[in-house]
Amino acid sequence: MLKPVVCVLLGDASGVGAEIVVKAFSGTAGLLDQAKVVLLGDERVLIRAQEIIGKSLDYEKIRPEDIRKNDKPLLMVDTGNMDPKDAPFGKVSPSAGAAVAADIQSVCEFYVKGYVDGICFAPFNKEAIRRAGNEVASELELFRADFSGLNVELEEEFGELNVVDGLWTTRVTSHIPLTHLGEYLNYDTILSAIRLADKSCRTAGIENPRIAVAALNPHCGEGGLCGNEEQTMIRPAMEKAEEEGYHIVGMYSPDTIFVHAFQGEADVAVTMYHDQGQIALKLKEFSHAVTVLAGFPVPIGTPAHGTAHDIAGTGTVSDSAFVTAFEIIARQSASFMKQKLNA
């Protein structure tokens, strides 16, 4: 079977991204058996990481338009846009944020031109991206804006999913103040999150995923005594999802949903707001967690742990979350390729 091409972005140069990439592709995980890989970033950042880790990657520098023509399993497009001197380890760097934004724009163009099938990026720093003049909450909005600017038709349902220990999670609302929750949480957004969870799991190879849905209020609202969102929004959205053929389990009280989910009763959990799901995941196994950006025409994923400024430059970072993210993106990329061939 033809292997997909996955573009790997080196991430924010002030963090652990390039070190992770060197460890992952010089290690024993066999990632190059799963996909052809093209690294995207400044070669000087990669060289610095190789010196820190004490290992060298066997890659060939190439022009973007030649990615499909070259049979070598590991390639690199050198952007030349990030002098390591401008991104000292452990400090938020607007220069690194600007380079990240430029690399996101480039990889979106690569996909539109047919050069790559999937995107896996080493960690970005959201503050650095904003300090570089990008008024966005996260890289999710940058990907949306860049694809839209390239006239790519995007799905209505989009957002972030996390994966840890085999369990997928997503949330109806994300980076908003809790005092504004009522502006974003409603029947339509809940149903949208359920649909997105199902589609993302299926492209990762999970057939008929079991979708656990969390309540908003303690004890599922206690029949309306402790809030009525369960009766007016969440339950109706769940019933509609069942009518559409989704495999819904729950609803579960927020304080027990992950007890059930981690016992194997669900494949994916839909929570109502950011910390409702993230606290449980980060307590479970944060260093191995993965973030998947869903609702795009191309699979996109990254480790969930961030740039780890406290250990950047030490060579001690683990590559386990990146390896898991890459494996998920490689599987999804192969699935997307199959769908295109059968279309």
Side-chain angles (χ1 to χ4, degrees):
M1 180 179 175
L2 186 64
K3 290 193 296 187
V5 178
V6 175
C7 188
V8 171
L9 282 64
L10 297 184
D12 187 293
S14 69
V16 294
E19 294 170 63
I20 291 172
V21 170
V22 172
K23 282 193 173 184
F25 290 106
S26 64
T28 59
L31 301 186
L32 296 179
D33 294 331
Q34 302 172 44
K36 178 178 171 179
V37 174
V38 54
L39 306 177
L40 177 65
D42 195 307
E43 188 181 26
R44 293 170 294 180
V45 173
L46 184 64
I47 290 171
R48 180 177 67 171
Q50 289 179 128
E51 291 171 350
I52 291 168
I53 300 302
K55 294 184 178 180
S56 296
L57 300 183
D58 182 18
Y59 62 87
E60 181 176 325
K61 285 204 293 185
I62 194 171
R63 298 179 305 171
E65 57 267 31
D66 293 329
I67 290 172
R68 295 282 187 187
K69 303 172 189 175
N70 194 303
D71 293 331
K72 195 172 178 67
L74 184 61
L75 305 170
M76 180 173 195
V77 173
D78 179 14
T79 61
N81 64 0
M82 185 65 257
D83 188 333
K85 294 177 184 176
D86 295 329
F89 289 122
K91 297 182 179 180
V92 175
S93 166
S95 295
V100 161
D103 292 349
I104 290 174
Q105 185 175 37
S106 292
V107 78
C108 291
E109 292 174 357
F110 289 2
Y111 172 75
V112 170
K113 292 177 178 178
Y115 301 158
V116 302
D117 305 301
I119 301 168
C120 186
F121 60 91
F124 299 152
N125 186 286
K126 295 176 176 60
E127 183 180 350
I129 290 173
R130 287 194 289 271
R131 283 197 187 180
N134 302 285
E135 298 299 324
V136 293
S138 70
E139 58 271 11
L140 176 68
E141 290 78 20
L142 282 182
F143 276 106
R144 296 284 295 183
D146 286 337
F147 273 124
S148 294
L150 293 165
N151 298 317
V152 175
E153 188 174 340
L154 299 173
E155 300 175 22
E156 265 187 57
E157 280 109 20
F158 70 94
E160 292 183 355
L161 288 92
N162 293 111
V163 189
V164 65
D165 200 22
L167 177 69
W168 289 64
T169 70
T170 189
R171 57 254 189 188
V172 179
T173 65
S174 191
H175 298 117
I176 60 169
L178 282 179
T179 51
H180 292 195
L181 188 62
E183 299 172 26
Y184 299 90
L185 186 68
N186 55 57
Y187 168 90
D188 291 323
T189 55
I190 295 166
L191 185 57
S192 176
I194 291 172
R195 290 169 176 157
L196 187 68
D198 181 87
K199 182 173 183 178
S200 299
C201 287
R202 287 180 186 274
T203 59
I206 303 172
E207 296 183 10
N208 195 27
R210 297 163 299 164
I211 305 170
V213 179
L216 173 65
N217 298 299
H219 308 154
C220 295
E222 296 182 350
L225 298 176
C226 187
N228 65 359
E229 287 83 1
E230 287 72 22
Q231 295 154 306
T232 61
M233 300 179 187
I234 302 174
R235 180 64 68 187
M238 292 169 62
E239 291 172 351
K240 176 61 175 176
E242 287 177 327
E243 288 178 14
E244 293 180 0
Y246 298 106
H247 186 171
I248 306 296
V249 295
M251 122 187 15
Y252 291 108
S253 178
D255 58 357
T256 62
I257 183 170
F258 285 98
V259 174
H260 294 279
F262 282 124
Q263 287 177 346
E265 296 178 25
D267 299 298
V268 57
V270 175
T271 59
M272 296 299 115
Y273 59 90
H274 184 278
D275 286 2
Q276 197 179 56
Q278 294 301 91
I279 290 172
L281 288 186
K282 292 181 180 182
L283 281 171
K284 177 67 175 176
E285 207 169 2
F286 181 47
S287 63
H288 301 291
V290 169
T291 298
V292 175
L293 307 188
F296 292 90
V298 55
I300 307 173
T302 185
H305 55 61
T307 46
H309 275 169
D310 55 326
I311 59 171
T314 66
T316 59
V317 67
S318 170
D319 65 347
S320 61
F322 178 87
V323 168
T324 301
F326 183 89
E327 291 173 340
I328 289 171
I329 296 306
R331 286 198 304 271
Q332 287 189 316
S333 298
S335 175
F336 276 45
M337 287 175 64
K338 185 176 180 180
Q339 290 174 17
K340 287 180 181 178
L341 289 172
N342 294 334

